[in-house]
């Protein structure tokens, strides 16, 4: 069986659109459930300005809890700048996702910096924390809410730049969920040719219901690391119209039935997803609303409907 490594980004990407603060103890319980289900790579928070993302104001407490409790789990935090990297490092995190948008417009909206400024900040992080494992998240790698469909040459050139800075891992992010399997295959083929020593992973949103299809397309191109969120929550607050992510439980169900090994217990994962639903019911502000989805569409077995 081929191994697929699932990176759970729900505690960061999934929760950032929940309008009311999820109690710290509830966050811990959900992360505990993920760990118990066998999820071994978890993006536990983002170290951002809490005025921009209020849900992340307890990021340090979440990170420190996870670091002390789960020394054998790969714990990640998303950071937008040097200060975020500093906060992550001081919390015990040694694996960060640093996000830069392929689109200048989205980078300005998301980070309030030009791409050039973001790359200069990345150089500072690399210099100050040489032992940090950095995954470079290329946001809007497939399409931008402001500039439209991404150009393949621009993606190749940008990937070559960050690879030349010493980045060994890149995540191609479908920030607004409008990619299709052909575009995903083309992007992976192009970036792999330009940066053959760089490891790729994908982060696919599900705005057009293509999350599973695009993630599978990436796997069929040789990608072994994929990102998703519990319950399919998520969405960039600075990308108008962006919906939730590919749901972790859906991916695990699909992969295991296709004879891929994820190392995750599907039944336990489903229970954690249902528990998360009970915790955040009524507080989710994204477009991919699980409660409305179930009330309006109904739910048969483990099949997921999407309200758009």
């Amino acid at each position: 069986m081929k191994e697929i490594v699932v990176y759970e980004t729900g505690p960061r990407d999934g929760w950032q659109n929940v309008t009311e603060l999820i109690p710290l103890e509830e966050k811990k319980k959900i992360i505990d459930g993920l760990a118990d289900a066998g999820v071994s790579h978890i993006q536990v928070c983002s170290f951002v300005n809490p005025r921009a993302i209020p849900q992340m104001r307890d990021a340090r407490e979440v990170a420190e809890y996870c670091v002390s409790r789960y020394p054998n789990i790969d714990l990640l935090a998303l950071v937008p700048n040097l200060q975020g990297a500093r906060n992550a490092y001081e919390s015990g995190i040694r694996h960060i996702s640093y996000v830069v948008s392929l689109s200048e417009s989205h980078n300005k909206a998301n980070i309030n910096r030009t791409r050039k400024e973001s790359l200069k900040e990345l150089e500072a992080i690399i210099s100050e924390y040489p032992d940090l494992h950095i995954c470079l998240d290329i946001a809007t790698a497939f399409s931008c809410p402001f500039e439209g469909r991404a150009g393949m040459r621009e993606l190749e050139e940008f990937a070559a730049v960050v690879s030349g800075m010493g980045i060994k891992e890149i995540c191609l992010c479908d920030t607004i969920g409008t990619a299709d399997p052909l575009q995903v295959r083309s992007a992976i083929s192009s970036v792999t040719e330009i940066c053959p020593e760089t490891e790729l992973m994908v982060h696919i949103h599900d705005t057009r219901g293509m999350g599973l299809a695009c993630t599978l397309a990436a796997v069929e191109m040789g990608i072994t690391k994929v990102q998703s969120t519990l319950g399919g929550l998520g969405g960039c607050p600075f990308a108008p119209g962006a919906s939730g992510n590919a749901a972790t439980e859906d991916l695990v169900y699909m992969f295991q039935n296709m004879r891929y090994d994820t190392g995750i217990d599907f039944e336990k994962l489903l229970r954690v997803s249902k528990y998360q639903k009970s915790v955040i019911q009524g507080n989710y502000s994204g477009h991919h609303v699980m409660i409305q989805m179930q009330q309006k569409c109904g739910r048969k077995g483990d099949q997921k409907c999407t309200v758009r």
Side-chain angles (χ1 to χ4, degrees):
M1 296 177 69
K2 183 177 179 180
E3 181 180 357
I4 298 296
V5 182
V6 176
Y7 282 69
E8 172 58 52
T9 66
R12 192 276 304 177
D13 198 356
W15 294 346
Q16 67 184 6
N17 281 335
V18 178
T19 53
E20 295 182 16
L21 182 66
I22 302 170
L24 179 59
E25 292 306 311
E26 296 292 359
K27 291 183 177 181
K28 292 177 181 178
K29 287 179 182 178
I30 295 170
I31 293 172
D32 288 345
L34 290 168
D36 182 60
V39 181
S40 56
H41 303 265
I42 306 175
Q43 192 176 70
V44 296
C45 63
S46 59
F47 285 95
V48 295
N49 189 326
R51 290 193 296 274
I53 309 291
Q55 191 62 244
M56 295 296 127
R57 60 184 183 229
D58 58 1
R60 181 179 291 270
E61 290 88 343
V62 171
E64 290 177 347
Y65 169 79
C66 293
V67 168
S68 64
R69 187 173 178 87
Y70 299 111
N72 297 321
I73 288 181
D74 179 25
L75 303 169
L76 299 83
L78 183 142
V79 306
N81 50 39
L82 177 59
Q83 184 58 53
R86 185 174 293 123
N87 292 339
Y89 196 90
E90 291 173 354
S91 299
I93 297 291
R94 294 295 181 269
H95 188 175
I96 64 169
S97 295
Y98 182 78
V99 59
V100 185
S101 302
L102 184 63
S103 152
E104 283 282 5
S105 301
H106 185 264
N107 204 69
K108 189 67 176 177
N110 193 33
I111 310 297
N112 197 28
R113 283 190 173 92
T114 65
R115 286 197 321 180
K116 185 176 180 179
E117 290 169 336
S118 287
L119 291 178
K120 185 176 181 180
E121 194 87 345
L122 176 59
E123 288 180 340
I125 294 172
I126 293 171
S127 175
E128 187 163 335
Y129 299 103
D131 57 328
L132 268 180
H133 177 183
I134 303 174
C135 176
L136 195 286
D137 284 6
I138 302 182
T140 64
F142 301 96
S143 190
C144 169
F146 312 114
E147 298 180 15
R149 196 174 180 91
M152 198 61 66
R153 177 169 294 182
E154 184 180 10
L155 176 60
E156 292 172 356
E157 292 174 350
F158 187 61
V161 168
V162 297
S163 179
M165 295 173 66
I167 295 298
K168 302 299 183 184
E169 187 174 59
I170 290 175
C171 182
L172 301 177
C173 303
D174 182 20
T175 306
I176 61 172
T178 59
D180 60 76
L182 180 59
Q183 187 184 16
V184 170
R185 292 189 185 100
S186 297
I188 291 170
S189 177
S190 296
V191 175
T192 299
E193 184 174 352
I194 296 294
C195 310
E197 302 301 318
T198 303
E199 190 167 20
L200 299 182
M201 69 172 75
V202 294
H203 176 103
I204 307 293
H205 284 235
D206 200 36
T207 307
R208 297 289 179 262
M210 304 273 266
L212 290 179
C214 287
T215 303
L216 181 59
V219 169
E220 291 174 340
M221 287 294 295
I223 300 301
T224 60
K225 296 180 177 181
V226 300
Q227 295 189 0
S228 56
T229 64
L230 189 69
L233 301 182
C236 175
F238 305 103
S243 186
N245 293 261
T248 305
E249 58 269 36
D250 288 355
L251 281 180
V252 170
Y253 180 84
M254 177 183 72
F255 285 139
Q256 292 186 352
N257 278 278
M258 294 180 69
R259 304 285 183 181
Y260 288 97
D261 180 16
T262 64
I264 297 172
D265 186 314
F266 172 74
E267 294 300 331
K268 286 185 176 181
L269 187 68
L270 196 58
R271 286 197 292 270
V272 181
S273 181
K274 291 177 178 178
Y275 180 76
Q276 176 183 255
K277 170 182 173 290
S278 71
V279 170
I280 69 170
Q281 187 163 359
N283 294 332
Y284 188 63
S285 63
H287 297 280
H288 194 86
V289 183
M290 195 162 39
I291 290 80
Q292 290 181 0
M293 171 187 74
Q294 293 176 4
Q295 291 174 344
K296 186 173 182 179
C297 298
R299 185 163 184 149
K300 297 180 180 179
D302 299 317
Q303 185 178 0
K304 176 168 66 66
C305 300
T306 303
V307 173
R308 298 178 182 80

